[in-house]
Amino acid sequence: MTKQSVMISDAKLGIGQLAISLELLAAAESCIEISSSSRRKLLKSETTEPGKIATWVASMRASSPTRVRPAASLFEAEQHNSWMVRHPSALGMFEQIASASKGKQVVMFLDYDGTLSPIVQDPDQAFMSDEMREAVKETARHFPTAIVSGRCRDKVYGFVRLGGLIYAGSHGMDIRGPSRSRKEQKVYKILLERTKSIPGAKVETNKFCLSVHFRCVDEKKWVDLAEQVRIVLKEYPKLKLTHGRKVLEIRPAIKWDKGKALEFLLNSLGYANSDDVLPVYIGDDRTDEDAFKLLKDRGQGLGIVVSKVPKETRASYSLQEPSEVMDFLRRLVEWKRNSIRASI
């Protein structure tokens, strides 16, 4: 069973230090061990599994729309309208959200890519705007706020550069984490070798997971990319593949995701069994669905998906793009300020 130990100070403000000690970190370490003999075996392996590759590529397309297309027919327009009825705009429904927040402690959870910053061709250039940074800063002044990302915690912090927030990287496995002096990530090196022949592919190490970005890969090459990743994973049963927006993510095959991270953070902040808390999670990726599901299962909290196109989601509300996320955060802060003034 996974062990957890937590150290919290000033937890109610959401700015205390969190120390997470998980056996899964050791598991992540062991997952990237590889002997020289298995490496030779891996590099020689050229067998294919067409069914699995076809499934992977289908998932890549489903989670990574290549373009936003206008409604081409009345049927598509009706589909979009139906989706908006089921997942109305969080801005349009703000008064209802504010009403549900009265008398409760709002706790904010924010994804980064596609939520606080736009999706860009080069993931290293996914900078948030100064206006968004100010909106997040003000949000964190009024509500406990955490950023939960698939990226490593240090990289997310480098983008956001704000104190007073909780940073949870690698889908929540890297809430605090040990020092970066770890053994060489051989799987990372093998992925680099395997994907270097595919133009536009980029492999990123996120401490406890690996990301294979295909934002700049021609869609005709997605099958080739998926095959190279499959060859690597075939040798590592303790690793699993998940699909994100223009990214394949490889992580330890353990029961940990953004939903588990959200639950862990709520427990750490002292809100495990509180009826007076309202968690709000905003994200755009398939990996955020685990957090949306947790809120649904709890019957407590609001999930807000960021998307311009209808897609399957467990979120209750929607926003179209990061600029709307910024507007929503600003309105939430203004509502809080007005509530404080009214109580004086």
Side-chain angles (χ1 to χ4, degrees), residues 60-76:
M60 290 163 73
R61 290 196 178 103
S63 60
S64 310
T66 55
R67 66 187 73 85
V68 177
R69 294 176 294 186
S73 66
L74 178 60
F75 175 72
E76 288 183 351

Side-chain angles (χ1 to χ4, degrees), residues 305-318:
V305 65
V306 183
S307 179
K308 288 185 176 181
V309 297
K311 62 180 181 180
E312 185 177 349
T313 181
R314 294 183 176 90
S316 301
Y317 299 95
S318 65

Side-chain angles (χ1 to χ4, degrees), residues 94-310:
F94 185 81
E95 294 304 321
Q96 178 178 323
I97 294 173
S99 178
S101 304
K102 288 182 179 178
K104 298 183 182 295
Q105 172 63 69
V106 174
V107 184
M108 294 298 303
F109 297 91
L110 305 167
D111 180 32
Y112 183 76
D113 292 277
T115 298
L116 299 182
S117 74
I119 296 293
V120 295
Q121 293 295 316
D122 184 351
D124 289 335
Q125 301 299 312
F127 302 111
M128 66 194 303
S129 67
D130 291 338
E131 292 82 2
M132 178 67 85
R133 181 173 290 103
E134 183 63 24
V136 173
K137 180 181 178 180
E138 289 302 310
T139 300
R141 283 181 176 175
H142 293 84
F143 311 101
T145 301
I147 296 179
V148 185
S149 173
R151 305 237 198 182
C152 70
R153 180 174 54 90
D154 292 343
K155 183 164 289 186
V156 176
Y157 181 81
F159 281 132
V160 179
R161 303 196 311 275
L162 288 174
L165 284 78
I166 297 168
Y167 292 88
S170 298
H171 304 283
M173 287 188 281
D174 186 13
I175 295 177
R176 181 170 174 83
S179 67
R180 295 186 64 87
S181 57
R182 300 175 57 83
K183 294 182 180 180
E184 183 178 66
Q185 295 195 21
K186 295 183 180 179
V187 172
Y188 169 67
K189 286 193 172 185
I190 294 172
L191 279 170
L192 282 177
E193 181 68 22
R194 277 282 173 180
T195 59
K196 70 180 183 181
S197 63
I198 301 175
K202 181 170 183 176
V203 183
E204 180 183 23
T205 177
N206 294 311
K207 190 175 285 191
F208 303 120
C209 68
L210 299 172
S211 299
V212 182
H213 297 279
F214 56 94
R215 299 176 188 181
C216 299
V217 176
D218 189 311
E219 190 169 346
K220 295 177 182 178
K221 292 288 186 179
W222 286 8
V223 172
D224 295 339
L225 179 62
E227 169 62 13
Q228 295 306 317
V229 174
R230 184 202 67 79
I231 290 173
V232 176
L233 286 183
K234 186 177 180 180
E235 296 298 318
Y236 295 91
K238 292 184 179 181
L239 293 177
K240 68 176 181 178
L241 178 81
T242 59
H243 298 268
R245 193 170 172 186
K246 292 292 179 72
V247 63
L248 297 173
E249 293 182 318
I250 301 163
R251 32 182 165 151
I254 51 178
K255 293 183 178 179
W256 195 262
D257 51 43
K258 289 185 177 182
K260 296 286 188 183
L262 190 157
E263 186 174 39
F264 172 82
L265 289 170
L266 285 173
N267 292 345
S268 300
L269 293 169
Y271 299 124
N273 301 306
S274 175
D275 294 328
D276 298 327
V277 63
L278 185 74
V280 178
Y281 190 104
I282 307 178
D284 75 308
D285 207 322
R286 180 177 289 189
T287 58
D288 297 309
E289 291 297 325
D290 294 313
F292 297 150
K293 180 180 184 300
L294 176 78
L295 296 180
K296 283 277 190 182
D297 292 345
R298 286 172 63 102
Q300 182 184 39
L302 304 174
I304 303 175
V305 65
V306 183
S307 179
K308 288 185 176 181
V309 297

